[in-house]
Amino acid sequence: MEVKIGILALQGGFREHKEIIELLAKQENHFNKYTCKEIKTDRDLVEFKPDGIILPGGESTAMSIISSAHTQGTDIKNIFDHLKEFVSNGKPIYGTCAGAIMLSDQVENQKDGGQSLIGGLHIQTSRNYFGRQINSFQSRIRLDLPVIEKSPDESQPSVTILDDIDGVFIRAPGITKILDKSVEILGRYQVTLKDSTKETIITAVKQNNILATVFHPELTVDTRFHKYFIDIVIAHKLSFLK
Amino acid sequence: MDKIETTNKTNGTKSSDDQIQSFKIKSSLAQMLKGGVIMDVVTPEQAKIAEEAGACAVMALEKIPADIRHFGGVARMSDPKMIKEIMAAVTIPVMAKVRIGHFVEAQILQNIGIDYIDESEVLTIADDENHINKSKFQVPFVCGCRNLGEALRRIAEGAAMIRTKGEAGTGNVVEAVRHARSVNKEIKKLVSMDDDELYTYAKEIQAPLELVKEVKRLGKLPVVNFAAGGVATPADAALMMQLGMDGVFVGSGIFKSGDPKKRASAIVQAVTHYNNPDILSKISEDLGEAMVGINSDKIVEQWSVKEKH
């Protein structure tokens, strides 16, 4: 089966995601073929017809402005409108850092005048939650990933535990509120904030086919989290074939 | 401030409550700036215009390069108060410049919480023998280069991002193109070399052997590389992107032009859609007057050649 992953390429670390998907494509040699394309315009999206989309890290303000600027005064549709449709159709989408902000229903600490979002993920995020670049950090974190294809055999574990993820947090947002019980928390981490208080933060969430992380697995050589996203994409695609 | 780690390829050897500040953290922010435009601004109002136009970061400074050329005299780090006002005005990262070798200016900027420091040839040189030992700082640095050897010397000193020098304040892209092409050409040459030739090549370009080997293995610089110095139009920005740059700095080109808002937005679009002539034609229309520009062979002082090392 061909699995097509589109990567929003308006600004930010989109090349790193592409490299991870390409790495996974090399490892896959049985039934599935992964293809990956940078998405910059509505036309790219319509032509490529991705099965899953990744929203990269970068500056969310820049991406939301770039998404609409060249469409002004034309009948070209803003790519964010296409992405909203993609999300509301229940298709798999994964946002890292700025991508997680764009997927959030509510965002705190926006630039003056606010910024346009894609939304659909029922969480509240706060931009630059930990402070400035000097407060960026890297640490080993643990994720508990619900198994996508549940086996009828009750003795099989229902979560996969990854306890050695290299978490890279760059001017990261915080997930400050979960707004609906359909949102599953995949990981927590105790962090020392800039005023030296300790706080347990949420590092990753899942809501049906939507994934979001405030850290950057694409900045490491670890492909496991992206593989998890691809498993969701494959399961979603198969659900239409059954 | 005691958690500077020089290497951390040691995945998993740290206990989970150990937060590490490392080279990886420094170079990662630059990776998130890719595909974006970093704009010179002198006031909080200009910083907001830049943010509204879609800039991925701003460079806070008292005088833009064209005015530094015009007024002359010693150009130094900007007033920290003015930089702090710009930091408070926008939510995107803020960079600022220090003089080459002036590590105390860098200490001051690190202390006020700047996101990135540009050790810049645009300001007057403070130490004509040594650059700042950038690996001693927690805040990341960007430095200019004209060729591969210079880029690798800066990376060896701890720079986490590289830019072409170009010739700032001229509105003429020729030097930036020259520097981008020369880095590209030297990397291609290096990649095609026999491993036995690397020792002499490292000596020739005056770069550390380890970094030379790494560039051969990667086929590119180990850090992000932006274009800077002379970019004035959306077409200039797209040109630099097609030459393989990761993003663009625009200094005097925006706020020395007739319609800064429109030009800023157009340059941001050009960096994203650098390979799309339809969009490039549309956004290049009706931008008002570009900055007048100076031909770089007519300027009194070429900044790009003033560093000796």
Side-chain angles (χ1 to χ4, degrees), chain A residues 151-170:
Chain A
S151 138
D153 179 0
E154 295 275 323
S155 66
Q156 293 293 317
S158 59
V159 289
T160 309
I161 296 171
L162 306 176
D163 63 0
D164 56 350
I165 294 278
D166 185 11
V168 182
F169 298 79
I170 305 296

Side-chain angles (χ1 to χ4, degrees), chain B residues 41-288:
Chain B
V41 296
V42 299
T43 62
E45 291 69 39
Q46 287 188 355
K48 283 189 173 172
I49 292 174
E51 187 178 45
E52 283 302 324
C56 66
V58 291
M59 176 77 72
L61 68 177
E62 265 163 4
K63 277 196 220 111
I64 54 171
D67 288 336
I68 296 176
R69 285 196 186 279
H70 181 73
F71 293 105
V74 177
R76 313 178 178 91
M77 175 189 80
S78 301
D79 184 343
K81 179 166 176 263
M82 167 264 174
I83 297 172
K84 276 173 20 195
E85 283 164 6
I86 287 175
M87 286 162 62
V90 292
T91 62
I92 53 179
V94 178
M95 303 184 167
K97 289 183 197 290
V98 299
R99 283 178 268 177
I100 287 168
H102 204 315
F103 52 85
V104 175
E105 286 186 346
Q107 289 164 2
I108 291 170
L109 289 184
Q110 170 164 285
N111 189 260
I112 65 168
I114 201 83
D115 294 301
Y116 239 97
I117 294 176
D118 183 3
E119 186 181 19
S120 177
E121 70 283 0
V122 166
L123 304 183
T124 309
I125 288 180
D127 183 336
D128 57 6
E129 294 291 329
N130 305 292
H131 283 72
I132 296 173
N133 180 355
K134 293 165 274 288
S135 54
K136 279 164 80 177
F137 287 79
Q138 278 197 302
V139 59
F141 281 75
V142 53
C143 288
C145 78
R146 281 163 298 167
N147 50 49
L148 181 60
E150 199 171 10
L152 296 184
R153 286 196 294 280
R154 300 294 86 82
I155 295 168
E157 292 154 3
M161 180 178 181
I162 290 293
R163 57 173 173 75
T164 61
K165 282 185 173 168
E167 201 55 65
T170 62
N172 187 344
V173 80
V174 64
E175 295 299 323
V177 169
R178 193 195 318 275
H179 303 158
R181 281 203 185 272
S182 100
V183 171
N184 288 345
K185 203 186 318 171
E186 286 159 331
I187 291 176
K188 274 187 210 142
K189 184 174 161 198
L190 169 58
V191 168
S192 67
M193 277 183 182
D194 192 293
D195 280 349
D196 298 357
E197 296 173 301
L198 300 187
Y199 303 90
T200 308
Y201 188 62
K203 203 155 73 183
E204 216 174 273
I205 66 168
Q206 298 174 49
L209 178 63
E210 284 315 307
L211 284 172
V212 169
K213 284 181 177 167
E214 196 182 349
V215 172
K216 176 171 154 64
R217 186 175 62 80
L218 295 170
K220 57 175 184 161
L221 288 178
V223 299
V224 166
N225 185 14
F226 267 50
V231 175
T233 66
D236 288 348
L239 170 69
M240 296 314 296
M241 292 301 285
Q242 288 197 28
L243 286 172
M245 297 292 107
D246 293 313
V248 173
F249 282 90
V250 187
S252 320
I254 290 173
F255 290 100
K256 278 281 166 194
S257 75
D259 188 346
K261 247 181 217 176
K262 202 167 177 188
R263 185 167 294 267
S265 165
I267 292 177
V268 169
Q269 297 289 309
V271 168
T272 298
H273 301 291
Y274 66 90
N275 257 335
N276 187 329
D278 282 345
I279 295 180
L280 290 176
S281 333
K282 192 168 159 274
I283 58 177
S284 298
E285 275 182 26
D286 199 20
L287 291 178

